[in-house]
Amino acid sequence: MNFQPPFDPTACYPPPAFSGGEFPGGGPDPAELTLTRGLLEEALAAKPALAALSTEEKKAVLWSMADALEADAEAILAANAQDLEGAKDTIAPVMQDRLRLTQGRIADMAAGVRAVAELPDPVGRTLSTHVLPNGLQVCKTSVPLWVIAIIYESRPNVTSDAASLTFQAGSVCVLRGGKESIHSNTAIVAALHKALAQHHLPAALVSLVSDTTRASANELMQAVGYIDLLIPRGGASLIQTCVNQAKVPCIQTGTGICHIFVDGDADLNKALTIVENAKTSRPSVCNAAEVCLVHRDIAADFLPQLWQRLVVLRHQSGQPPVELRLDPKAMEILGKGIPAGYDDFDTEFLDYVLAVRVVESVEEAIEHINQHSTGHSEAILTQTQAHADLFTRLVDSAAVYVNASTRFTDGGQFGLGCEMGISTQKLHARGPMGLEELTSYKYIITGSGQIR
């Protein structure tokens, strides 16, 4: 696998000019910046090296990447400690958990890379084929997207997830993490580069943008001709900026105002356990529940038990209690708590906060969800099949659950190895983005001299 490009890639792919414009909030004209531009040119030049690899060769590289992550665990943890030290006074504790790495989390990262390696190669698959009356054979074949850029925040595990998924999908990746995780990301990419070097492959197959200012993000958003797909992962502000400003194709991901509806005949014990899991198991992630809707027929029984479970018992056990923000009907039933504010049913808290509303029916719950949801994940807890069927048919989100926690919306949990993000749009990809969603297709037509 010692690949030497047989040509000057800049001759075949002449670097296009970046589009103009500034990142919101200001910044230099992208035409004046060269660091990220040079990195993108190197990424473009690395495409043939990846295209030349067989399925087994890609698998071997991925296994080496996983080994390298574990071998460099000490260096990665030391870099992560630098990031955590810098973040302790700047981001909330619950967000620091997103940033924190441990031996266990690094082992999980390596396991995710190995899981991707064991998945079927998504490139070169025959998606469909048919023969026309004139004898032409038309074959629809999966192909790489080629250069994928990811702008993300906080979570260093995204670095290895993104690198492994794009590599297996036959694409070069350009990673641009946040400033709060730059040391961690640099150490992780250094480990991945060791694996690439072991197989005599260019480091540019996995590139990390060292500039964490808005200017570099703007460059990626404007890099027409260099980047085939841009994927933002992070908070609503980042995602909306990319969606609104990008001139390259962009996937809308991540923002999760996830709902759980507790129906009038729900099993109370199961409902309490599911709501607690969806809210508290990791509140800083996009598949955590932010809103609980409760049917009026069960509210008087359910809400006091919910308060006991999420507030009283968690406080007594030394765990962070959940702050319940209650609509007027829920306040009336409990007689205590914090009244829900104007924006509380339209907020991704990413914290130990849960908005609660009492509704009259499953139809009202569906109406509320479709009005306030970001299209990520919603759940109904019910024993009525007709209500479950109505909910799954009418709720317009990427993942819809019946009697289960929203926390399962995850590429690994769905059997995809790991994920690039959760797409909340409908075109090209929806839900957890695994290997299939990171490929495109082309038509290969074979004839025997036909003319039109």
Side-chain angles (χ1 to χ4, degrees):
M1 284 185 281
N2 191 354
F3 180 84
Q4 297 295 330
F7 54 83
D8 176 5
T10 60
C12 292
Y13 303 98
F18 280 107
S19 302
E22 292 187 342
F23 193 87
D29 189 304
E32 299 175 3
L33 301 172
T34 59
L35 184 61
T36 303
R37 168 75 169 266
L39 183 147
L40 290 173
E41 289 176 352
E42 291 176 357
L44 207 60
K47 286 166 49 177
L50 185 50
L53 299 181
S54 68
T55 296
E56 289 306 311
E57 287 171 331
K58 287 195 296 183
K59 181 175 178 177
V61 175
L62 288 168
W63 274 87
S64 295
M65 286 181 174
D67 293 342
L69 288 171
E70 292 178 331
D72 279 14
E74 185 175 341
I76 293 171
L77 290 174
N80 185 244
Q82 286 184 269
D83 289 329
L84 288 169
E85 178 65 23
K88 66 180 183 180
D89 296 324
T90 59
I91 61 176
V94 71
M95 299 305 289
Q96 291 176 36
D97 181 61
R98 292 168 66 106
L99 177 59
R100 181 173 291 105
L101 291 176
T102 63
Q103 285 283 0
R105 288 185 179 179
I106 292 175
D108 289 342
M109 290 160 56
V113 175
R114 293 189 181 105
V116 170
E118 295 305 309
L119 293 172
D121 192 337
V123 178
R125 294 179 301 124
T126 298
L127 303 176
S128 65
T129 184
H130 61 279
V131 178
L132 299 175
N134 62 9
L136 286 176
Q137 182 180 42
V138 181
C139 184
K140 185 179 180 182
T141 305
S142 62
V143 296
L145 287 168
W146 285 124
V147 179
I148 300 174
I150 307 97
I151 301 177
Y152 56 107
E153 299 170 337
S154 296
R155 296 170 65 182
N157 65 290
V158 173
T159 305
S160 59
D161 287 355
S164 60
L165 282 167
T166 52
F167 188 88
Q168 178 73 313
S171 287
V172 180
C173 72
V174 177
L175 304 164
R176 193 277 192 187
K179 63 181 179 180
E180 70 284 348
S181 58
I182 185 60
H183 297 98
S184 304
N185 293 337
T186 300
I188 291 168
V189 170
L192 301 179
H193 282 174
K194 290 179 182 179
L196 292 172
Q198 180 183 339
H199 293 270
H200 309 289
L201 291 168
L205 291 175
V206 178
S207 297
L208 178 68
V209 178
S210 58
D211 178 8
T212 59
T213 67
R214 289 181 172 182
S216 66
N218 191 40
E219 277 198 274
L220 296 180
M221 288 188 280
Q222 309 297 323
V224 176
Y226 288 93
I227 291 173
D228 296 288
L229 179 66
L230 173 65
I231 303 174
R233 286 190 61 169
S237 177
L238 167 66
I239 294 167
Q240 285 305 310
T241 297
C242 289
V243 170
N244 293 335
Q245 301 292 326
K247 294 188 177 181
V248 298
C250 182
I251 292 284
Q252 184 167 336
T253 68
T255 305
I257 301 179
C258 302
H259 297 73
I260 293 184
F261 169 53
V262 184
D263 202 2
D265 65 349
D267 182 306
L268 281 180
N269 290 329
K270 289 182 180 178
L272 289 166
T273 299
I274 289 171
V275 173
E276 182 175 26
N277 173 263
K279 178 70 265 182
T280 68
S281 62
R282 202 168 181 190
S284 62
V285 294
C286 61
N287 56 21
E290 305 290 17
V291 178
C292 182
L293 305 175
V294 184
H295 194 289
R296 66 173 183 178
D297 291 349
I298 205 172
D301 291 328
F302 179 76
L303 289 177
Q305 293 185 55
L306 184 70
W307 180 278
Q308 182 73 9
R309 186 79 164 255
L310 297 188
V311 181
V312 178
L313 293 181
R314 288 183 61 83
H315 178 74
Q316 291 176 352
S317 64
Q319 298 173 295
V322 176
E323 181 180 296
L324 301 182
R325 299 188 182 176
L326 310 169
D327 84 329
K329 292 180 181 178
M331 280 289 294
E332 182 180 349
I333 291 170
L334 284 175
K336 55 189 172 184
I338 299 175
Y342 178 77
D343 295 325
D344 282 340
F345 290 98
D346 295 291
T347 299
E348 185 183 26
F349 298 110
L350 300 175
D351 205 343
Y352 292 98
V353 180
L354 183 68
V356 180
R357 178 187 173 189
V358 177
V359 295
E360 298 293 310
S361 63
V362 63
E363 290 84 3
E364 185 177 348
I366 293 169
E367 181 181 4
H368 175 101
I369 291 170
N370 286 338
Q371 181 178 351
H372 297 273
S373 170
T374 53
H376 194 294
S377 302
E378 329 296 346
I380 181 173
L381 313 182
T382 186
Q383 298 185 71
T384 302
Q385 188 60 47
H387 288 182
D389 293 343
L390 185 69
F391 191 89
T392 57
R393 188 169 68 250
L394 296 185
V395 168
D396 189 22
S397 293
V400 183
Y401 294 86
V402 177
N403 296 323
S405 170
T406 58
R407 286 281 286 112
F408 286 104
T409 307
D410 172 86
Q413 294 294 321
F414 280 15
L416 306 178
C418 53
E419 72 187 33
M420 186 65 76
I422 310 293
S423 172
T424 54
Q425 64 186 49
K426 298 179 182 179
L427 293 180
H428 178 70
R430 195 179 197 193
M433 293 182 63
L435 291 174
E436 288 189 18
E437 290 74 27
L438 295 177
T439 60
S440 184
Y441 56 83
K442 66 182 176 185
Y443 289 94
I444 299 175
I445 302 93
T446 303
S448 56
Q450 289 90 337
I451 62 173
R452 181 175 178 178

